[in-house]
């Protein structure tokens, strides 16, 4: 349908926090008054009127109350091995409930660990199973379970030397260490002596080698895997990593081993707190509450349904912001959590500093965002791709003059590109039958590198995420594998798919109406003009996608079509007499029906523009309660006058200075007639003082400059052939630059204005422009970045397939 409609007329997004989860009665009434398509469509078939969906939303809301985390047989086993210090014999477990859990939770194949695990995680299962066997053997429990567990080890021992198997963190130190423990317990393990000797040799290599660049990270790593070292461990060194909650690295297994050796009361406090929460077992990392709950927000955003949970999101982010200001260790001692918190807080308008100057951390601790800090940490030693990915995503929410984030963006991008390439080579070497699911990190890395924040339109992101959501393996691995049931949730997937399809069904009807509008206004008769209805509507539907915002999408699209046609008229088709005639007509506003037009083209253009101004004015009246038609008309007048000036420059072969060019060219790029009328149609009432404020002016000037320069940067060849003045040609005319220099200067200006606009959009101002209105300026800039990402994608047809997928292809979930 998309292609046909486009021919008939011949993308720290619209923030989900700004869109109401239900359509207020007042908005529905406004839609009726304005004659919107929404009049019966949304009120009669609303997704939220479904009882199933209402219950689904209530279940999702419970995810905000408590972080869910799978328990770890491996870590539970190490807690079960902690002896009671009541006698010199130490012949009973300090945490007997953990031993009981092991007895009760052996899997049918004799192993312990995650149920329904991927075949590539057999080494993980071997590690968890051996740890549980050791715990039972230590206390003389579960002879039958031990026998079954040994049988599993025997049947799967070949995986110990299988290079295609995923290797848990520290496996080459910890597993041989457990073999030593088995010898002390006089437990015969079913492993070949050659395999055992090879593992012991490998452990010795691991313990004696390291990287000079990351000496601190290596020390942290050796402390983290203490259960594989034990009697030769430097416990004074290990305890330097103890956190305020009493843990070592938030790891139950490491903390349990340390407590067994040192009887540290803070370690005991931590271990006891785990059982207070999980009753008789331990997760592999605790606490993970902040990261897990922030991941829920991130998932809701990526799936396009965050707007149904605005209150829950605000409450959670308010809590996170307080933790941020207090320098909470759960945030700042975990790179992934810190990066995610920074990104989401910024996107939702909280004032957080990239310099992290407010942290109440030791004075010798570097900023978590610095390369030196990362590569002197445990995550850096382990080359933690999840942490680097979150750092990279955080670096994209960047304001002007933030060198920390600029440096962060550079080194994380290089790291991820290299690691993604290595992952691709590795996956090509693995038998496809091992796993049918995409590793979560692989999809995320590819996505982040291909679609940076300033390029990715909301609905494109949502569509990709929904398509991949059920195909991704949401399993993470530390010393053992774990899952967060809040992520990879079927309720989320179903809600997202139904919401996407519901919005799409409304948009398809809107696009048909717009196709008829093109014909009724004879715009299809203008042979000189690019026919871009599909592209214009795509940029609206991919960002202003909520059903109740139909008026804004229609206004955006109609004005987008008209600005494209008018731009072509001024650039290539209209005589100077015709251009002046059109400008004068628009300056006069409503005119006498008997007026003479220079040409049929002028009449078509003027009539279509005037009709659209009246129509959008009527729609805005219902939303704003005041007439804003004169403001919309003034915007159009300013636009065509700036286009006329450029036409005069071209005719007279006049090359302005760069300042003169930018002052006029931003307006002539004609984004204002598209965005500013739509600002009146997204909900909040805007006073005349607001739309004449410095904040408003700064928003549209930054947007204009970005759009104009992106067009110039990618369209320099076409515009040079047309003899049109362009930013690149202006810089070349000033002298002292090569073409490459001029292109690089334009690119630098684009980056500067994009950062400035993002800051203006995200930072909340008291009594300032409402966020949902400011988001439209960012939406337009992102659309421009997408269209001009590789070349002049607005003029050519390379985006047709992308637009078609958003507008024409519903999402079908597997049963």
């Amino acid at each position: 349908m998309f292609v046909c409609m486009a021919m008939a007329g011949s993308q720290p997004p619209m923030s989900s926090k700004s869109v109401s989860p239900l359509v207020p009665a007042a908005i529905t009434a406004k839609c009726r008054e304005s004659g919107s398509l929404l009049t019966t469509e949304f009120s009669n078939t609303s997704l939220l009127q479904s009882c199933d969906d209402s219950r689904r939303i209530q279940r999702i809301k419970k995810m905000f109350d408590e972080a869910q985390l799978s328990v770890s047989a491996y870590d539970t086993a190490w807690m079960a091995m902690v002896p009671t210090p009541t006698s010199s014999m130490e012949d009973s477990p300090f945490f007997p409930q953990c031993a009981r859990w092991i007895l009760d939770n052996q899997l049918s194949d004799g192993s312990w660990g995650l149920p329904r695990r991927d075949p590539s995680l057999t080494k993980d299962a071997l590690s968890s199973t051996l740890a549980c066997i050791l715990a039972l053997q230590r206390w003389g429990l579960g002879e039958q379970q031990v026998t079954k567990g040994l049988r599993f080890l025997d049947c799967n021992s070949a995986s110990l030397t299988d290079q295609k198997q995923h290797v848990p963190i520290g496996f080459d130190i910890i597993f041989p260490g457990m073999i030593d423990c088995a010898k002390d317990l006089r437990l015969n393990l079913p492993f070949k002596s050659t395999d055992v000797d090879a593992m012991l040799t490998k452990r010795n290599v691991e313990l004696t080698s390291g990287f000079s660049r990351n000496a601190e990270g290596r020390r942290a790593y050796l402390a983290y895997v203490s259960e594989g070292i034990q009697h030769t461990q430097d416990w004074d060194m290990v305890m330097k990593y103890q956190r305020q909650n009493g843990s070592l690295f938030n790891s139950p297994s490491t903390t349990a081993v340390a407590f067994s050796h040192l009887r540290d009361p803070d370690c005991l406090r931590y271990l006891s707190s785990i059982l207070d929460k999980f009753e008789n077992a331990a997760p592999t990392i605790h606490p993970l509450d902040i990261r897990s709950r922030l991941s829920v927000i991130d998932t809701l955003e990526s799936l396009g349904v965050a707007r149904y949970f605005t209150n829950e999101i605000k409450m959670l982010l308010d809590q996170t912001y307080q933790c941020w200001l207090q320098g909470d260790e759960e945030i700042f001692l975990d790179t992934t959590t810190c990066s995610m918190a920074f990104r989401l807080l910024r996107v939702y308008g909280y004032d957080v500093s990239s310099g992290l100057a407010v942290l109440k951390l030791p004075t010798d601790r570097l900023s978590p965002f610095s390369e030196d800090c990362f590569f002197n940490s445990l995550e850096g030693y382990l080359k933690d791709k999840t942490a680097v990915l979150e750092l990279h995503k955080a670096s994209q929410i960047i304001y002007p003059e933030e060198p920390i984030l600029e440096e962060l963006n550079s080194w994380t991008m290089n790291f991820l590109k290299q690691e993604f390439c290595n992952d691709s080579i590795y996956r090509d070497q693995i038998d496809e039958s091992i796993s049918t699911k995409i590793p979560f990190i692989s999809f995320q890395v590819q996505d982040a590198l291909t679609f940076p924040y300033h390029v990715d339109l909301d609905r494109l992101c949502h569509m990709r995420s929904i398509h991949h959501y059920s195909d991704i393996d949401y399993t993470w691995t530390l010393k053992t594998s774990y899952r967060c049931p809040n992520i990879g949730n079927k309720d989320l997937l179903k809600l997202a798919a139904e919401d996407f399809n519901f919005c799409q069904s409304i948009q398809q009807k809107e696009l048909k109406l717009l196709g008829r509008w093109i014909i009724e206004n004879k715009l299809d008769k203008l042979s000189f003009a690019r026919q871009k209805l599909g592209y214009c509507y795509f940029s609206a539907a991919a960002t202003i996608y909520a059903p109740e915002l139909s008026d804004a999408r229609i206004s955006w699209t109609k004005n987008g079509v008209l600005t494209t046609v008018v731009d072509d008229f001024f650039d290539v088709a209209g005589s100077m007499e015709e251009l002046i005639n059109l400008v004068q007509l628009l300056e006069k506003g409503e005119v006498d029906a008997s007026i003479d037009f220079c040409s049929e083209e002028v009449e078509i253009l003027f009539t279509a523009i005037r009709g659209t101004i009246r129509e959008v004015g009527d729609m805005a009246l219902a939303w704003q309660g005041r007439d804003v038609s004169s403001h919309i008309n003034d915007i159009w007048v300013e636009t065509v006058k700036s286009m006329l000036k450029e036409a005069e420059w071209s005719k007279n072969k006049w090359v302005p200075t760069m300042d003169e060019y930018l002052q006029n060219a931003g307006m002539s790029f004609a984004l204002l007639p598209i965005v500013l009328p739509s600002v009146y149609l997204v909900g909040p009432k805007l006073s005349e003082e607001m739309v004449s404020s410095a904040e408003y002016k700064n928003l549209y000037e930054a947007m204009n400059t970005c759009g104009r320069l992106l067009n110039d940067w990618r369209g320099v060849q076409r515009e040079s052939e047309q003899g049109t003045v362009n930013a690149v040609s202006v810089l070349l005319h000033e002298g002292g630059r090569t073409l490459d220099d001029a292109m690089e200067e334009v690119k630098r200006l684009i980056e500067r204005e994009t950062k400035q606009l993002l800051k203006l959009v995200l930072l909340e101002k008291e009594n300032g422009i409402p966020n949902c209105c400011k988001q439209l300026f960012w939406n337009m800039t992102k659309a421009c970045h997408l269209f001009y990402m590789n070349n002049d994608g607005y003029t050519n047809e390379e985006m047709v397939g992308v637009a078609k997928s958003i507008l024409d292809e519903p999402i079908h979930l597997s049963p």
Side-chain angles (χ1 to χ4, degrees):
M1 184 186 73
F2 169 82
V3 176
C4 293
M5 292 310 302
M7 291 177 64
S10 56
Q11 132 248 155
M14 163 59 68
S15 175
S16 53
K17 64 177 175 176
S18 66
V19 181
S20 173
L22 297 171
V23 181
I27 291 181
T28 304
K30 288 171 183 174
C31 293
R32 291 193 182 99
E33 293 171 23
S34 64
S36 167
L37 173 73
L38 194 60
T39 302
T40 57
E41 185 71 34
F42 191 80
S43 58
N44 290 342
T45 60
S46 171
L47 173 67
L48 294 181
Q49 289 187 359
S50 162
C51 292
D52 288 342
D53 288 307
S54 295
R55 286 193 291 267
R56 186 176 295 134
I57 287 172
Q58 291 307 313
R59 290 195 296 270
I60 295 171
K61 286 183 177 182
K62 292 180 181 179
M63 296 180 186
F64 289 90
D65 298 333
E66 184 177 6
Q68 298 183 41
L69 195 63
S70 62
V71 294
S72 161
Y74 174 84
D75 290 83
T76 302
W78 282 103
M79 286 187 63
M81 282 187 266
V82 176
T84 301
T86 54
S87 68
S88 59
M89 296 296 292
E90 297 186 339
D91 56 359
S92 62
F94 197 104
F95 304 111
Q97 61 270 57
C98 293
R100 287 194 297 272
W101 184 93
I102 294 171
L103 288 169
D104 295 339
N105 286 275
Q106 188 174 32
L107 300 176
S108 59
D109 64 355
S111 70
W112 281 270
L114 285 178
R116 302 180 301 278
R117 60 179 171 262
D118 189 276
S120 66
L121 295 176
T122 304
K123 279 188 179 180
D124 175 35
L126 290 169
S127 182
S128 294
T129 301
L130 180 52
C132 290
I133 290 173
L134 293 178
L136 296 179
Q137 183 76 6
R138 173 74 190 268
W139 309 119
L141 301 171
E143 182 178 352
Q144 181 179 355
Q145 286 91 339
V146 169
T147 300
K148 286 181 64 177
L150 290 172
R151 191 179 303 123
F152 175 82
L153 296 182
D154 186 21
C155 292
N156 293 274
S157 59
S159 294
L160 292 173
T161 55
D162 186 350
Q163 298 300 311
K164 296 179 180 179
Q165 281 286 317
H166 186 77
V167 184
I169 292 174
F171 182 86
D172 292 333
I173 291 176
I174 294 173
F175 199 84
M178 289 195 290
I179 292 177
D180 284 341
C181 289
K183 291 178 181 178
D184 294 339
L185 293 171
R186 298 176 182 176
L187 182 65
N188 291 321
L189 299 177
F191 300 140
K192 296 178 182 178
S193 58
T194 53
D195 290 343
V196 172
D197 290 341
M199 284 188 286
L200 293 174
T201 300
K202 194 168 186 178
R203 180 177 68 159
N204 291 335
V205 172
E206 280 274 313
L207 291 174
T208 56
S209 64
F211 300 99
S212 57
R213 179 187 180 188
N214 194 354
E216 177 56 34
R218 175 167 173 76
R219 282 192 290 269
Y221 170 70
L222 293 177
Y224 180 60
V225 297
S226 289
E227 59 264 46
I229 304 173
Q230 296 225 34
H231 299 297
T232 60
Q233 180 62 281
D234 180 352
W235 291 105
D236 289 336
M237 181 272 291
V238 171
M239 295 307 289
K240 290 179 182 179
Y241 297 98
Q242 189 171 40
R243 300 187 177 186
Q244 293 176 3
N245 63 11
S247 78
L248 294 162
F249 308 99
N250 285 344
S251 167
S253 54
T254 308
T255 310
V257 172
F259 178 67
S260 295
H261 284 267
L262 303 174
R263 301 296 169 182
D264 179 82
D266 289 328
C267 287
L268 177 59
R269 172 169 57 85
Y270 170 74
L271 296 172
S272 299
S273 73
I274 291 175
L275 297 181
D276 288 341
K277 182 177 178 66
F278 294 90
E279 296 183 356
N280 55 5
T284 196
I285 181 171
H286 174 77
L288 200 66
D289 294 51
I290 295 178
R291 189 204 295 187
S292 177
R293 295 167 76 194
L294 289 175
S295 294
V296 173
I297 299 177
D298 200 29
T299 302
L300 292 170
E301 285 281 2
S302 67
L303 293 175
V305 291
R307 67 188 189 280
Y308 297 116
F309 308 94
T310 52
N311 293 333
E312 290 78 11
I313 290 174
K314 184 181 186 307
M315 184 178 298
L316 176 54
L317 289 179
D318 282 345
Q319 295 169 1
T320 304
Y321 187 53
Q322 290 305 310
C323 293
W324 179 279
L325 295 177
Q326 295 163 11
D328 192 309
E329 280 191 346
E330 191 177 343
I331 293 178
F332 291 106
L333 292 186
D334 181 80
T335 302
T336 301
T337 305
C338 182
S339 305
M340 188 182 298
F342 174 85
R343 171 170 56 87
L344 289 175
L345 287 171
R346 271 210 170 175
V347 166
Y348 275 84
Y350 295 82
D351 189 6
V352 289
S353 168
S354 60
L356 307 180
V358 298
L359 300 190
K360 298 178 181 178
L361 293 173
T363 56
D364 60 346
R365 181 172 174 78
L366 298 171
S367 162
F369 289 170
S370 74
E371 183 176 9
D372 286 341
C373 178
F374 180 77
F375 284 108
N376 277 284
S377 70
L378 176 60
E379 295 107 322
Y381 183 81
L382 297 173
K383 294 187 176 181
D384 186 337
K385 285 180 283 189
T386 298
V388 179
L389 172 63
E390 287 299 332
L391 282 168
H392 183 67
K393 289 159 72 174
S395 74
Q396 296 178 0
I397 317 301
I398 181 172
Y399 300 159
E401 307 303 325
E402 289 194 306
I404 289 175
L405 295 186
E406 290 178 1
E407 179 186 348
L408 178 63
N409 184 269
S410 177
W411 74 259
T412 54
M413 181 183 295
N414 293 334
F415 178 96
L416 292 173
K417 285 181 178 179
Q418 181 63 41
E419 291 300 311
F420 183 73
C421 178
N422 292 339
D423 277 356
S424 298
I425 295 172
Y426 176 70
R427 287 196 300 273
D428 290 343
Q429 297 171 344
I430 294 180
D431 186 343
E432 291 183 1
S433 65
I434 288 181
S435 176
T436 59
K437 287 186 174 282
I438 306 167
F440 178 74
I441 187 65
S442 297
F443 164 69
Q444 290 273 294
V445 168
Q446 182 180 17
D447 208 51
L449 292 175
T450 307
F451 300 99
Y453 182 73
H454 66 279
V455 168
D456 205 9
L457 302 192
D458 283 14
R459 237 34 184 168
L460 291 177
C461 170
H462 303 161
M463 181 184 65
R464 294 193 311 275
S465 297
I466 295 170
H467 279 309
H468 286 289
Y469 195 76
S470 59
D471 297 327
I472 290 173
D473 182 9
Y474 291 95
T475 301
W476 291 264
T477 305
L478 295 173
K479 284 185 281 190
T480 188
S481 299
Y482 69 98
R483 299 185 182 120
C484 296
N486 285 358
I487 304 173
N489 183 284
K490 290 185 178 179
D491 282 329
L492 287 174
L493 180 60
K494 289 180 180 178
L495 178 63
E498 291 177 9
D499 177 80
F500 186 95
N501 293 340
F502 176 67
C503 294
Q504 186 185 74
S505 68
I506 292 176
Q507 292 163 5
Q508 288 173 349
K509 293 178 174 66
E510 291 172 353
L511 189 53
K512 288 180 180 178
L513 290 176
L514 288 162
R516 291 198 291 269
W517 170 81
I518 290 276
I519 297 171
E520 290 166 0
N521 284 271
K522 302 180 181 178
L523 296 174
D524 57 321
K525 303 299 183 183
L526 301 175
S527 59
F528 62 84
R530 291 169 293 172
Q531 301 297 332
K532 294 297 178 180
L533 169 61
Y535 275 14
C536 292
Y537 186 75
F538 162 67
S539 66
T543 54
I544 321 170
Y545 54 85
E548 66 268 27
L549 299 179
S550 177
D551 287 346
R553 288 191 294 276
I554 288 173
S555 170
W556 180 292
T557 305
K558 288 185 176 181
N559 283 298
V561 169
L562 289 171
T563 55
T564 302
V565 173
V566 171
D567 180 61
D568 290 344
F569 188 61
F570 275 79
D571 276 354
V572 298
S575 67
M576 191 58 65
E577 180 185 6
E578 289 174 309
L579 306 186
I580 293 172
N581 183 215
L582 181 57
V583 172
Q584 290 174 341
L585 291 172
L586 288 172
E587 284 182 314
K588 292 178 181 179
E590 295 292 346
V591 296
D592 192 298
S594 63
I595 189 168
D596 290 328
F597 297 99
C598 263
S599 64
E600 182 183 4
E601 286 81 0
V602 172
E603 182 176 6
I604 291 173
L605 291 174
F606 175 76
T607 303
I609 294 170
R610 281 305 312 160
T612 301
I613 291 173
R614 285 194 296 268
E615 180 186 347
V616 174
D618 290 342
M619 290 192 294
L621 180 62
W623 290 81
Q624 297 295 318
R626 66 186 181 91
D627 187 2
V628 298
S629 298
S630 61
H631 183 215
I632 300 173
N633 189 79
D634 291 344
I635 294 166
W636 264 105
V637 171
E638 289 184 64
T639 300
V640 295
K641 288 174 71 174
S642 65
M643 290 178 173
L644 179 61
K645 180 178 286 190
E646 284 193 352
E648 292 171 343
W649 286 345
S650 296
K651 178 182 178 181
N652 299 323
K653 302 190 182 303
W654 169 257
V655 181
T657 66
M658 191 63 174
D659 288 340
E660 289 174 330
Y661 175 76
L662 287 178
Q663 185 175 359
N664 184 75
M667 185 65 69
S668 70
F669 193 53
L671 298 182
L672 292 191
I674 305 172
V675 175
L676 296 193
S678 299
V679 169
Y680 287 121
L681 304 171
V682 292
K685 291 186 176 182
L686 301 175
S687 65
E688 291 188 21
E689 290 76 19
M690 281 185 177
V691 296
S692 60
S693 67
E695 180 185 13
Y696 201 73
K697 183 173 183 289
N698 291 336
L699 284 164
Y700 69 66
E701 285 186 347
M703 175 191 70
N704 284 345
T705 303
C706 281
R708 176 78 268 173
L709 292 177
L710 280 163
N711 175 266
D712 290 358
W713 185 42
R714 293 304 192 188
V716 59
Q717 181 176 349
R718 172 177 57 82
E719 293 186 340
S720 296
E721 292 170 355
Q722 294 174 352
T724 306
V725 178
N726 175 291
V728 177
S729 63
V730 170
L731 289 172
L732 290 172
H733 187 265
E734 290 179 350
R737 291 182 179 88
T738 65
L739 176 60
D740 288 344
D741 291 336
M743 296 284 281
E744 193 62 32
E745 175 65 10
V746 170
K747 182 180 178 182
R748 186 189 65 79
L749 291 171
I750 293 169
E751 292 173 351
R752 183 193 70 187
E753 292 301 316
T754 301
K755 294 173 186 176
Q756 180 60 34
L757 178 58
L758 185 58
K759 183 176 182 178
L760 289 167
V761 169
L762 294 185
L763 281 183
E764 303 279 1
K765 280 190 176 183
E766 188 175 354
N767 300 319
I769 307 298
N771 179 269
C772 62
C773 298
K774 294 193 293 183
Q775 284 290 338
L776 296 188
F777 297 91
W778 183 242
N779 289 348
M780 176 57 81
T781 302
K782 292 209 297 183
C784 290
H785 272 286
L786 178 66
F787 281 123
Y788 298 111
M789 183 164 58
N790 298 315
N791 48 49
D792 188 350
Y794 188 73
T795 297
N796 62 36
E797 298 296 316
E798 71 173 27
M799 296 296 295
V800 166
V802 177
K804 179 177 171 60
S805 65
I806 293 294
L807 301 175
D808 278 3
E809 300 172 4
I811 293 174
H812 301 289
L813 298 180
S814 301

